[in-house]
Amino acid sequence: MAALMCICFTGCGETPGASQTQIVLGTVVTVQVYGRQSQEALDGAVEAAMDRARELEQIFSVNIDSSEINYVNQNAAKAPVPVSDDFYTVLERSLYFARLTEGAFDPTLGKLIRLWGIGTDDARVPEPEEIAPLTGRRDYEHVLLDGQAHTVFFENDGFSLDFGAIAKGYAADEMKELLQEDYHITSALLNLGGNIITIGNRPDGKPWTLGIADPSSPQPEENPAVTLQVTNLTFVTSGDYQRYYEAPDGTRYHHILDGSTGYPADSGLSSVTIITQCSMDADALSTASFVLGQEKAQKLLQSINGVEAVFIDTQDQITATDGIRDQLQ
Ligand code: ADP
Ligand code: MG
C-alpha cells in the first residue's frame, strides 16, 4: 500500500455521522457522511457508496482476473466487444483527454505500465529494448468506440487499456452522486487514496479544510505544504512520492509514465493537485499535468473552465493558478 491519504481536517462537530475505511480499487477508500438522518440511514448510505466502489473495481481493476477491463484487453483486437455503461463512459472520456493532452494522459499505456510493474511485487527497470516498442505509439487513436452498438474495438493488438489514472476519479463522482440522489446526503467527505471529493460543507456549516501533501517530507501525507478551504469540490493529486520502485542502486522510479519516452515522467514536478467539480476530469488532468510539466499544463488548464491547480516542483516551489492562489494557506 503505497498510495496513502491526503490530510483532511474534517471537524465533525455534534452532527451524527457514519464512516468506513476499506481497501478498494487498489487503495484506501474512506467514506464519511453526516446528517440528521437516523444512524441506520447514515450507515446504509456509507455501505451503499462502498458497494458502488466495489462494483466499479470489478469493472476497472486490471488486478482482478475476471474484470471487464481484462476481458476487453484480451478480446477487443479480435472483434468489437460490447461493454457496460460505466466502461463506455470512462473510456470515452479517457480518449477525449488523451487527444486533448496529446497523449500526456494515455489510457492505452497498459503494456508499458505492466512492463514496469511499479506498485506491484514485479516492479523492475526494464531494458531499453523492452521499452522501445511500447513508446511513441499513440494507440489512443486506434481505439474505436461504437455508440450505437456500445462496443469497443482495438485496431491493433500491440496495446492494452489501463484506467489507473482515471477510475478512482470516476468512482468518486459516482459515489457522490449516489449519496446525494439516493440518500439525500448534504455533507460528506470521500477519500480514495488521496482523490478527495466533498459534498456540501462540513456538518458545522464551515468549508472543508484540505491539505496538499508536502512531497519533500518523509511522510508527505501527514505534512501539508498548503491547505485550502473547499465546498462541494474535488481535489485530486498526482505525485512522484505516492507509488514508486526503488532500484538496487537507490534510484526511484515513480508510477506516472511518459508514453513518449517510456520512462517515468520527468517534467520537474513533484506533484500536481487539480481542484474542480468533476473528479474524473480532475484525475485525468492531474496525471496529464504531471507529465506535461508546469508551463504546458498551465496553458492547457487555462483553456478549461472551472479548473484550478496547485503545482509543487522538485525544488519545493509552490505555484497555483490565478483562481485559487489567494485561497492557499
Ligand atoms: P494515483 O494512482 O496515485 O492516483 P494517477 O491518477 O496519476 O495517480 O494515476 C497513475 C496510474 O495511472 C498508474 O499507476 C498507471 O496505472 C496509470 N498511468 C501511468 N502513467 C499514465 C499516463 N501517462 N496516462 C494514463 N495513465 C497512466
Ligand atoms: Mg489521475
Side-chain angles (χ1 to χ4, degrees), residues 103-145:
F105 169 87
D106 185 348
T108 61
L109 295 183
K111 292 197 178 195
L112 186 66
I113 291 163
R114 176 158 295 227
L115 178 67
W116 280 89
I118 294 167
T120 74
D121 294 341
D122 304 322
R124 67 185 177 98
V125 183
E127 297 300 325
E129 307 82 71
E130 298 174 280
I131 294 174
L134 301 177
T135 61
R137 295 178 53 97
R138 302 169 70 93
D139 283 316
Y140 56 88
E141 291 174 350
H142 300 288
V143 179
L144 300 188
L145 284 178

Side-chain angles (χ1 to χ4, degrees), residues 81-93:
V81 176
V83 294
S84 65
D85 286 346
D86 290 317
F87 194 95
Y88 196 93
T89 303
V90 171
L91 177 54
E92 191 172 43
R93 199 70 180 149

Side-chain angles (χ1 to χ4, degrees), residues 104-106 109 113 162 164-165 168 238 242 255-257 283 287:
F105 169 87
D106 185 348
L109 295 183
I113 291 163
D162 182 297
K168 277 184 285 175
S238 283
Q242 293 169 315
H255 72 316
I256 302 173
L257 303 176
D283 202 354
T287 306

Side-chain angles (χ1 to χ4, degrees), residues 170-186:
Y170 179 69
D173 292 330
E174 287 296 300
M175 292 160 81
K176 173 174 175 166
E177 189 183 313
L178 181 125
L179 289 171
Q180 288 182 302
E181 308 276 305
D182 296 358
Y183 293 87
H184 312 292
I185 297 293
T186 54

Side-chain angles (χ1 to χ4, degrees), residues 292-308:
L292 287 170
Q294 187 173 324
E295 210 174 303
K296 286 186 191 161
Q298 237 164 331
K299 216 174 261 173
L300 168 75
L301 298 175
Q302 263 165 14
S303 70
I304 312 172
N305 262 341
V307 174
E308 303 296 338

